Amino acid sequence: RKSEIRFSRAFYANPALLTITSLSDGRFTYVNDAFVRTLGYSRAEAVGQTVLDVGLYADAHDRPRMLQLLREGGAREVELNARTKSGEIRTMIVSSQQVEVLGEDCILGMAIDITGRKRAEEALAASEHRWRSVFDNSAIGIVLGDETLRITRTNRALQELGGYTEHELGSMTFLDVTHPEDRHLIEQAAADL
């Protein structure tokens, strides 16, 4: 009894979305608080319904794929999209394992909502793409370097201005391409970093 109480507390209070569904038809037996908060279904709306009844999988191929992974020993850290009650699509990392509950073959599922992280990664990639476009297509020569003053990247305008190839510049330092009378400025700027 104490073990059941500990499991129940750990299950319902876990910050990851946890579910127990029947293996045969995907009918929810238990869902935790994180499931309710994240997906918007109350326990009464979910328990007794199947994952297909509530339209949990945004892609109809995901349930058969997860079942296949279970047959092969368990689904670990599978990325898939889940549909909330409101219809919003959330990206999840899902792991599941076959368990027996009260004599019935079930699936213990755990999911972590990574929607925010995925959106941040996409925004960062878009920002990086815009930066590269501005850098590469600028009419002004631009050079980047590291803390040792080694040139790490140049744009076409700088290459044309100096008459060097990108490969040649990649083996040089700022001091190599700075007029001798101005080298002290580069050295001072590096010292101030």
Side-chain angles (χ1 to χ4, degrees):
R1 179 83 181 122
K2 287 181 181 179
S3 176
E4 288 176 16
I5 290 170
R6 282 194 298 271
F7 173 80
S8 179
R9 286 180 181 159
F11 181 88
Y12 287 109
N14 198 303
L17 286 74
L18 295 178
T19 63
I20 297 178
T21 57
S22 64
L23 179 61
S24 61
D25 62 3
R27 193 167 304 280
F28 289 107
T29 307
Y30 301 97
V31 297
N32 74 346
D33 297 343
F35 176 95
V36 171
R37 274 191 316 273
T38 305
L39 298 179
Y41 295 98
S42 69
R43 276 193 185 79
E45 291 171 316
V47 172
Q49 300 295 314
T50 69
V51 294
L52 299 177
D53 291 338
V54 299
L56 183 66
Y57 290 106
D59 182 337
H61 298 98
D62 281 338
R63 176 156 165 79
R65 179 169 63 116
M66 294 297 288
L67 290 173
Q68 179 62 36
L69 290 170
L70 274 174
R71 284 191 285 277
E72 294 168 359
R76 301 281 185 265
E77 297 185 19
V78 177
E79 184 175 313
L80 57 82
N81 290 321
R83 182 176 288 108
T84 68
K85 182 180 177 181
S86 68
E88 179 186 6
I89 303 299
R90 309 289 297 174
T91 303
M92 305 281 178
I93 294 291
V94 178
S95 293
S96 57
Q97 176 176 331
Q98 189 171 335
V99 295
E100 186 178 307
V101 177
L102 302 174
E104 182 182 8
D105 288 332
C106 294
I107 300 169
L108 171 62
M110 181 191 83
I112 298 171
D113 185 353
I114 61 166
T115 306
R117 184 181 88 193
K118 291 291 282 187
R119 288 179 182 158
E121 288 171 356
E122 289 166 4
L124 181 61
S127 176
E128 173 72 13
H129 177 74
R130 284 190 302 273
W131 179 87
R132 284 181 190 269
S133 179
V134 168
F135 182 91
D136 291 339
N137 298 309
S138 176
I140 298 170
I142 303 173
V143 60
L144 300 177
D146 63 19
E147 64 278 353
T148 67
L149 301 179
R150 179 141 321 272
I151 294 173
T152 58
R153 184 171 175 147
T154 60
N155 68 351
R156 281 189 302 269
L158 184 84
Q159 294 159 25
E160 290 170 5
L161 179 68
Y164 294 105
T165 67
E166 183 177 17
H167 178 73
E168 289 171 327
L169 287 166
S171 64
M172 301 170 93
T173 69
F174 282 93
L175 295 174
D176 295 329
V177 295
T178 302
H179 190 277
E181 292 177 10
D182 295 328
R183 286 186 181 161
H184 71 282
L185 298 173
I186 298 298
E187 292 166 342
Q188 181 60 49
D192 291 342
L193 291 178

